Amino acid sequence: MLTTVATVLAALIGVGIIVIGARVFWAPQAATGFGIPGTPTDDRSFQAWLTVKGVRDVASGLFIFVLIIGATSDLLGWFMLAATVIPTGDALIVLRSKGPKAIAYGVHASTALVMLAISVLLLVG
């Protein structure tokens, strides 16, 4: 039962990161929600880097689905545990950039904690 709940939660994380990554292509101005002040969403160079991030986000979400479909819950759990580095790093980037603490903790750090909980459920379930 715990494994099923954790797998569904992992799938929701996968869908979420795919949507966040895909938004780069139709709404690059949404990048300001990441939490870095003065984000130059109209700058072409920034948009190029943002596109790179978007592609990586979509791929990260797809990795979760590949693991859900073809791997064990242990492997998915280890992947989710390793992937907590991403939102943790994002939180640190926002804080280092003097961004809003509410976004650093409320979005990025809380995502890392949810992913950590999912990984624990998968590994002990």
Side-chain angles (χ1 to χ4, degrees), residues 50-75:
L50 191 59
T51 302
V52 170
K53 181 196 176 308
V55 169
R56 281 171 172 68
D57 284 349
V58 170
S60 294
L62 291 174
F63 291 153
I64 291 171
F65 287 102
V66 167
L67 291 170
I68 288 172
I69 292 167
T72 65
S73 58
D74 280 344
L75 186 56

Side-chain angles (χ1 to χ4, degrees), residues 72-114:
T72 65
S73 58
D74 280 344
L75 186 56
L76 177 60
W78 286 114
F79 176 83
M80 294 297 289
L81 182 62
T84 61
V85 169
I86 297 168
T88 301
D90 291 347
L92 294 172
I93 290 166
V94 171
L95 291 171
R96 189 183 69 208
S97 301
K98 308 270 190 268
K101 289 181 181 177
I103 291 177
Y105 296 116
V107 175
H108 302 298
S110 64
T111 299
L113 287 174
V114 168

